[in-house]
PDB file of all heavy atoms in Angstrom:
ATOM      1  N   TYR A1283     124.014 -58.655  12.818  1.00 95.00           N
ATOM      2  CA  TYR A1283     122.676 -59.271  12.848  1.00 95.00           C
ATOM      3  C   TYR A1283     122.260 -59.468  14.287  1.00 95.00           C
ATOM      4  O   TYR A1283     121.094 -59.219  14.672  1.00 95.00           O
ATOM      5  CB  TYR A1283     122.735 -60.574  12.076  1.00 95.00           C
ATOM      6  CG  TYR A1283     121.454 -61.372  12.187  1.00 95.00           C
ATOM      7  CD1 TYR A1283     120.328 -61.065  11.485  1.00 95.00           C
ATOM      8  CD2 TYR A1283     121.365 -62.466  13.054  1.00 95.00           C
ATOM      9  CE1 TYR A1283     119.133 -61.710  11.598  1.00 95.00           C
ATOM     10  CE2 TYR A1283     120.192 -63.216  13.179  1.00 95.00           C
ATOM     11  CZ  TYR A1283     119.065 -62.855  12.414  1.00 95.00           C
ATOM     12  OH  TYR A1283     117.900 -63.545  12.527  1.00 95.00           O
ATOM     13  N   SER A1284     123.169 -59.949  15.108  1.00 95.00           N
ATOM     14  CA  SER A1284     122.818 -60.196  16.521  1.00 95.00           C
ATOM     15  C   SER A1284     122.473 -58.937  17.274  1.00 95.00           C
ATOM     16  O   SER A1284     121.539 -58.956  18.145  1.00 95.00           O
ATOM     17  CB  SER A1284     124.021 -60.902  17.210  1.00 95.00           C
ATOM     18  OG  SER A1284     125.143 -60.046  17.343  1.00 95.00           O
ATOM     19  N   ARG A1285     123.107 -57.809  16.880  1.00 96.00           N
ATOM     20  CA  ARG A1285     122.724 -56.567  17.544  1.00 96.00           C
ATOM     21  C   ARG A1285     121.306 -56.114  17.132  1.00 96.00           C
ATOM     22  O   ARG A1285     120.542 -55.697  18.058  1.00 96.00           O
ATOM     23  CB  ARG A1285     123.757 -55.458  17.098  1.00 96.00           C
ATOM     24  CG  ARG A1285     125.140 -55.603  17.606  1.00 96.00           C
ATOM     25  CD  ARG A1285     126.044 -54.458  17.230  1.00 96.00           C
ATOM     26  NE  ARG A1285     127.425 -54.610  17.571  1.00 96.00           N
ATOM     27  CZ  ARG A1285     127.942 -54.407  18.740  1.00 96.00           C
ATOM     28  NH1 ARG A1285     127.171 -53.867  19.698  1.00 96.00           N
ATOM     29  NH2 ARG A1285     129.222 -54.606  19.015  1.00 96.00           N
ATOM     30  N   ARG A1286     120.995 -56.259  15.872  1.00 96.00           N
ATOM     31  CA  ARG A1286     119.655 -55.793  15.459  1.00 96.00           C
ATOM     32  C   ARG A1286     118.552 -56.850  16.004  1.00 96.00           C
ATOM     33  O   ARG A1286     117.491 -56.408  16.345  1.00 96.00           O
ATOM     34  CB  ARG A1286     119.612 -55.855  13.952  1.00 96.00           C
ATOM     35  CG  ARG A1286     120.576 -54.854  13.312  1.00 96.00           C
ATOM     36  CD  ARG A1286     120.353 -54.635  11.811  1.00 96.00           C
ATOM     37  NE  ARG A1286     121.360 -53.725  11.191  1.00 96.00           N
ATOM     38  CZ  ARG A1286     121.318 -53.244   9.995  1.00 96.00           C
ATOM     39  NH1 ARG A1286     120.265 -53.608   9.210  1.00 96.00           N
ATOM     40  NH2 ARG A1286     122.237 -52.499   9.519  1.00 96.00           N
ATOM     41  N   LEU A1287     118.933 -58.085  16.090  1.00 94.00           N
ATOM     42  CA  LEU A1287     118.002 -59.063  16.649  1.00 94.00           C
ATOM     43  C   LEU A1287     117.690 -58.734  18.110  1.00 94.00           C
ATOM     44  O   LEU A1287     116.557 -58.878  18.550  1.00 94.00           O
ATOM     45  CB  LEU A1287     118.607 -60.423  16.492  1.00 94.00           C
ATOM     46  CG  LEU A1287     117.592 -61.605  16.809  1.00 94.00           C
ATOM     47  CD1 LEU A1287     116.415 -61.620  15.822  1.00 94.00           C
ATOM     48  CD2 LEU A1287     118.364 -62.964  16.733  1.00 94.00           C
ATOM     49  N   ALA A1288     118.685 -58.256  18.920  1.00 94.00           N
ATOM     50  CA  ALA A1288     118.486 -57.892  20.285  1.00 94.00           C
ATOM     51  C   ALA A1288     117.473 -56.752  20.392  1.00 94.00           C
ATOM     52  O   ALA A1288     116.624 -56.788  21.304  1.00 94.00           O
ATOM     53  CB  ALA A1288     119.806 -57.559  20.876  1.00 94.00           C
ATOM     54  N   ILE A1289     117.582 -55.801  19.447  1.00 94.00           N
ATOM     55  CA  ILE A1289     116.616 -54.682  19.516  1.00 94.00           C
ATOM     56  C   ILE A1289     115.164 -55.210  19.194  1.00 94.00           C
ATOM     57  O   ILE A1289     114.170 -54.800  19.886  1.00 94.00           O
ATOM     58  CB  ILE A1289     116.998 -53.583  18.431  1.00 94.00           C
ATOM     59  CG1 ILE A1289     118.314 -53.002  18.848  1.00 94.00           C
ATOM     60  CG2 ILE A1289     115.956 -52.549  18.364  1.00 94.00           C
ATOM     61  CD1 ILE A1289     118.919 -52.010  17.810  1.00 94.00           C
ATOM     62  N   PHE A1290     115.062 -56.087  18.209  1.00 93.00           N
ATOM     63  CA  PHE A1290     113.727 -56.681  17.896  1.00 93.00           C
ATOM     64  C   PHE A1290     113.166 -57.482  19.052  1.00 93.00           C
ATOM     65  O   PHE A1290     112.018 -57.411  19.400  1.00 93.00           O
ATOM     66  CB  PHE A1290     113.858 -57.537  16.676  1.00 93.00           C
ATOM     67  CG  PHE A1290     112.617 -58.205  16.199  1.00 93.00           C
ATOM     68  CD1 PHE A1290     111.615 -57.573  15.513  1.00 93.00           C
ATOM     69  CD2 PHE A1290     112.284 -59.519  16.672  1.00 93.00           C
ATOM     70  CE1 PHE A1290     110.479 -58.140  15.157  1.00 93.00           C
ATOM     71  CE2 PHE A1290     111.146 -60.156  16.291  1.00 93.00           C
ATOM     72  CZ  PHE A1290     110.173 -59.439  15.548  1.00 93.00           C
ATOM     73  N   ALA A1291     114.050 -58.209  19.737  1.00 92.00           N
ATOM     74  CA  ALA A1291     113.561 -59.057  20.830  1.00 92.00           C
ATOM     75  C   ALA A1291     113.078 -58.161  21.988  1.00 92.00           C
ATOM     76  O   ALA A1291     112.048 -58.410  22.597  1.00 92.00           O
ATOM     77  CB  ALA A1291     114.764 -59.909  21.371  1.00 92.00           C
ATOM     78  N   LYS A1292     113.719 -57.089  22.273  1.00 91.00           N
ATOM     79  CA  LYS A1292     113.314 -56.161  23.383  1.00 91.00           C
ATOM     80  C   LYS A1292     112.067 -55.451  23.066  1.00 91.00           C
ATOM     81  O   LYS A1292     111.137 -55.333  23.925  1.00 91.00           O
ATOM     82  CB  LYS A1292     114.457 -55.130  23.600  1.00 91.00           C
ATOM     83  CG  LYS A1292     114.132 -54.163  24.726  1.00 91.00           C
ATOM     84  CD  LYS A1292     115.263 -53.175  24.873  1.00 91.00           C
ATOM     85  CE  LYS A1292     114.914 -52.151  25.982  1.00 91.00           C
ATOM     86  NZ  LYS A1292     116.046 -51.181  26.179  1.00 91.00           N
ATOM     87  N   GLU A1293     111.882 -54.949  21.772  1.00 90.00           N
ATOM     88  CA  GLU A1293     110.741 -54.114  21.411  1.00 90.00           C
ATOM     89  C   GLU A1293     109.535 -54.896  21.030  1.00 90.00           C
ATOM     90  O   GLU A1293     108.394 -54.442  21.155  1.00 90.00           O
ATOM     91  CB  GLU A1293     111.131 -53.183  20.309  1.00 90.00           C
ATOM     92  CG  GLU A1293     112.204 -52.188  20.695  1.00 90.00           C
ATOM     93  CD  GLU A1293     112.600 -51.253  19.560  1.00 90.00           C
ATOM     94  OE1 GLU A1293     112.153 -51.512  18.426  1.00 90.00           O
ATOM     95  OE2 GLU A1293     113.368 -50.321  19.814  1.00 90.00           O
ATOM     96  N   GLU A1294     109.700 -56.140  20.496  1.00 88.00           N
ATOM     97  CA  GLU A1294     108.512 -56.894  19.940  1.00 88.00           C
ATOM     98  C   GLU A1294     108.265 -58.205  20.727  1.00 88.00           C
ATOM     99  O   GLU A1294     107.119 -58.469  21.055  1.00 88.00           O
ATOM    100  CB  GLU A1294     108.844 -57.239  18.439  1.00 88.00           C
ATOM    101  CG  GLU A1294     109.022 -56.012  17.575  1.00 88.00           C
ATOM    102  CD  GLU A1294     107.777 -55.148  17.485  1.00 88.00           C
ATOM    103  OE1 GLU A1294     106.675 -55.710  17.653  1.00 88.00           O
ATOM    104  OE2 GLU A1294     107.902 -53.919  17.229  1.00 88.00           O
ATOM    105  N   ILE A1295     109.289 -59.006  20.929  1.00 88.00           N
ATOM    106  CA  ILE A1295     109.080 -60.323  21.510  1.00 88.00           C
ATOM    107  C   ILE A1295     108.698 -60.239  23.003  1.00 88.00           C
ATOM    108  O   ILE A1295     107.876 -60.923  23.482  1.00 88.00           O
ATOM    109  CB  ILE A1295     110.279 -61.241  21.257  1.00 88.00           C
ATOM    110  CG1 ILE A1295     110.593 -61.438  19.759  1.00 88.00           C
ATOM    111  CG2 ILE A1295     110.071 -62.582  21.872  1.00 88.00           C
ATOM    112  CD1 ILE A1295     111.833 -62.139  19.468  1.00 88.00           C
ATOM    113  N   ALA A1296     109.355 -59.388  23.700  1.00 88.00           N
ATOM    114  CA  ALA A1296     109.217 -59.283  25.141  1.00 88.00           C
ATOM    115  C   ALA A1296     108.125 -58.363  25.523  1.00 88.00           C
ATOM    116  O   ALA A1296     108.002 -57.981  26.746  1.00 88.00           O
ATOM    117  CB  ALA A1296     110.514 -58.798  25.764  1.00 88.00           C
ATOM    118  N   THR A1297     107.204 -57.918  24.695  1.00 87.00           N
ATOM    119  CA  THR A1297     106.085 -57.131  25.038  1.00 87.00           C
ATOM    120  C   THR A1297     104.826 -57.652  24.454  1.00 87.00           C
ATOM    121  O   THR A1297     104.851 -58.477  23.429  1.00 87.00           O
ATOM    122  CB  THR A1297     106.266 -55.690  24.454  1.00 87.00           C
ATOM    123  OG1 THR A1297     106.383 -55.711  23.021  1.00 87.00           O
ATOM    124  CG2 THR A1297     107.536 -55.009  25.025  1.00 87.00           C
ATOM    125  N   GLU A1298     103.711 -57.280  24.979  1.00 80.00           N
ATOM    126  CA  GLU A1298     102.405 -57.671  24.422  1.00 80.00           C
ATOM    127  C   GLU A1298     101.415 -56.555  24.649  1.00 80.00           C
ATOM    128  O   GLU A1298     101.572 -55.674  25.483  1.00 80.00           O
ATOM    129  CB  GLU A1298     101.899 -58.943  25.247  1.00 80.00           C
ATOM    130  CG  GLU A1298     101.568 -58.662  26.701  1.00 80.00           C
ATOM    131  CD  GLU A1298     101.187 -59.942  27.433  1.00 80.00           C
ATOM    132  OE1 GLU A1298     100.908 -60.961  26.779  1.00 80.00           O
ATOM    133  OE2 GLU A1298     101.068 -59.884  28.705  1.00 80.00           O
ATOM    134  N   MET A1299     100.404 -56.535  23.765  1.00 78.00           N
ATOM    135  CA  MET A1299      99.372 -55.536  23.887  1.00 78.00           C
ATOM    136  C   MET A1299      98.247 -55.972  24.802  1.00 78.00           C
ATOM    137  O   MET A1299      97.645 -57.053  24.630  1.00 78.00           O
ATOM    138  CB  MET A1299      98.747 -55.213  22.449  1.00 78.00           C
ATOM    139  CG  MET A1299      99.825 -54.638  21.448  1.00 78.00           C
ATOM    140  SD  MET A1299     100.473 -53.028  21.996  1.00 78.00           S
ATOM    141  CE  MET A1299      99.003 -52.040  21.938  1.00 78.00           C
ATOM    142  N   LYS A1300      97.924 -55.152  25.739  1.00 75.00           N
ATOM    143  CA  LYS A1300      96.802 -55.450  26.639  1.00 75.00           C
ATOM    144  C   LYS A1300      95.867 -54.234  26.859  1.00 75.00           C
ATOM    145  O   LYS A1300      96.367 -53.093  26.743  1.00 75.00           O
ATOM    146  CB  LYS A1300      97.333 -55.816  28.084  1.00 75.00           C
ATOM    147  CG  LYS A1300      97.930 -57.266  28.066  1.00 75.00           C
ATOM    148  CD  LYS A1300      96.829 -58.294  27.940  1.00 75.00           C
ATOM    149  CE  LYS A1300      97.366 -59.763  28.058  1.00 75.00           C
ATOM    150  NZ  LYS A1300      96.328 -60.748  27.958  1.00 75.00           N
ATOM    151  N   ILE A1301      94.631 -54.512  27.008  1.00 70.00           N
ATOM    152  CA  ILE A1301      93.678 -53.399  27.268  1.00 70.00           C
ATOM    153  C   ILE A1301      93.583 -53.094  28.748  1.00 70.00           C
ATOM    154  O   ILE A1301      93.323 -53.974  29.597  1.00 70.00           O
ATOM    155  CB  ILE A1301      92.237 -53.839  26.719  1.00 70.00           C
ATOM    156  CG1 ILE A1301      92.321 -54.141  25.232  1.00 70.00           C
ATOM    157  CG2 ILE A1301      91.223 -52.762  26.967  1.00 70.00           C
ATOM    158  CD1 ILE A1301      91.043 -54.657  24.578  1.00 70.00           C
ATOM    159  N   ASN A1302      93.819 -51.806  29.065  1.00 69.00           N
ATOM    160  CA  ASN A1302      93.810 -51.424  30.482  1.00 69.00           C
ATOM    161  C   ASN A1302      92.366 -51.129  30.958  1.00 69.00           C
ATOM    162  O   ASN A1302      91.459 -51.319  30.191  1.00 69.00           O
ATOM    163  CB  ASN A1302      94.720 -50.226  30.710  1.00 69.00           C
ATOM    164  CG  ASN A1302      94.284 -48.959  29.877  1.00 69.00           C
ATOM    165  OD1 ASN A1302      93.118 -48.869  29.423  1.00 69.00           O
ATOM    166  ND2 ASN A1302      95.223 -48.078  29.680  1.00 69.00           N
TER     167      ASN A1302
END
Side-chain angles (χ1 to χ4, degrees):
Y1283 174 76
S1284 66
R1285 291 183 188 278
R1286 298 189 184 191
L1287 190 61
I1289 296 173
F1290 178 81
K1292 179 181 179 179
E1293 297 179 352
E1294 301 295 333
I1295 301 176
T1297 61
E1298 63 182 354
M1299 297 298 296
K1300 284 292 184 179
I1301 300 176
N1302 60 21

